[in-house]
Amino acid sequence: MNDIEKKMLEHGFTGKDLRIFRHYLQKDSLLTHLVLLHELRKRFLVMLMMSFIVLLFCLFQQAHDGDDSWLPCLLTFAIYACIAWFMTPMGLAFKAFRFLKKYA
């Protein structure tokens, strides 16, 4: 276990998270912990921005069409949230974002 992994364990990452990191590091020999952390941070920020845009769209639609459009808006946001959650490991991405914010 190297210094970065020790710091990661001290600041919220679990053993399972580190196993996931090691798995991706073994698949691609050019990756390092910092590259993977930065990639997860980028994914987190993009998904956060996209979620905000979809939420704004839903709120605009609600305001424009009135009370009849709340169900389609809610379904749209729920479907998007499910897709975003599976495309980006949000828990791990948030931990990477928080870790890099503190140490980068």
Side-chain angles (χ1 to χ4, degrees):
M1 185 176 297
N2 59 26
D3 292 337
I4 291 179
E5 288 182 352
K6 288 179 184 175
K7 280 186 182 180
M8 289 168 66
L9 276 175
E10 291 171 3
H11 298 291
F13 287 88
T14 62
K16 181 181 176 184
D17 297 334
L18 291 180
R19 280 194 303 273
I20 292 170
F21 266 81
R22 287 186 197 121
H23 172 73
Y24 285 112
L25 292 173
Q26 289 173 353
K27 283 175 72 173
D28 188 356
S29 62
L30 298 177
L31 281 178
T32 64
H33 283 85
L34 290 177
V35 171
L36 199 53
L37 283 168
H38 281 286
E39 180 65 30
L40 282 169
R41 178 182 173 265
K42 252 192 300 190
R43 286 185 185 185
F44 176 75
L45 291 174
V46 168
M47 285 298 162
L48 196 63
M49 184 178 61
M50 294 286 291
S51 297
F52 184 70
I53 290 170
V54 169
L55 184 62
L56 281 179
F57 173 76
C58 289
L59 290 174
F60 174 75
Q61 190 68 25
Q62 171 71 22
H64 186 267
D65 289 345
D67 291 337
D68 294 337
S69 67
W70 69 270
L71 184 60
C73 289
L74 179 67
L75 289 175
T76 301
F77 189 73
I79 290 170
Y80 168 77
C82 290
I83 291 170
W85 184 267
F86 287 111
M87 288 181 66
T88 301
M90 293 302 279
L92 192 58
F94 177 70
K95 289 177 186 178
F97 173 77
R98 197 174 58 199
F99 181 80
L100 287 175
K101 187 175 180 182
K102 190 176 238 183
Y103 290 105

